[in-house]
Amino acid sequence: MDYHDIITIEPGKRSGKPCIRGMRITVYDVLEYLAGGMTEAEILEDFSELTSEDIKACLAFAANREKKF
């Protein structure tokens, strides 16, 4: 998956952490929700501005970062 159009990094937003589509929701936030046991459906219900594609982009971004190590 190409996450480059979904995951954005802006120095002045959330201290430059990777965010979703310029919003203030970070990749880390989504990964924390998933690691904490929330389902994709629960995340989408709590954050109506997110899409299933956004969550997949977070996972792809994290996998790509891990692959580099």
Side-chain angles (χ1 to χ4, degrees), residues 1-3 6-7 52-62:
M1 154 175 245
D2 185 15
Y3 57 81
I6 297 173
I7 305 301
S52 180
E53 196 75 5
D54 293 334
I55 294 173
K56 288 179 180 72
C58 289
L59 293 170
F61 180 85

Side-chain angles (χ1 to χ4, degrees), residues 5-30:
D5 291 334
I6 297 173
I7 305 301
T8 58
I9 299 174
E10 300 173 43
K13 189 172 287 174
R14 296 292 304 263
S15 300
K17 293 179 181 171
C19 294
I20 302 168
R21 294 184 286 115
M23 294 185 278
R24 299 191 60 78
I25 302 171
T26 66
V27 169
Y28 178 81
D29 294 334
V30 172

Side-chain angles (χ1 to χ4, degrees), residues 26-42:
T26 66
V27 169
Y28 178 81
D29 294 334
V30 172
L31 296 176
E32 276 279 292
Y33 300 141
L34 291 169
M38 286 182 79
T39 65
E40 181 178 317
E42 290 170 328

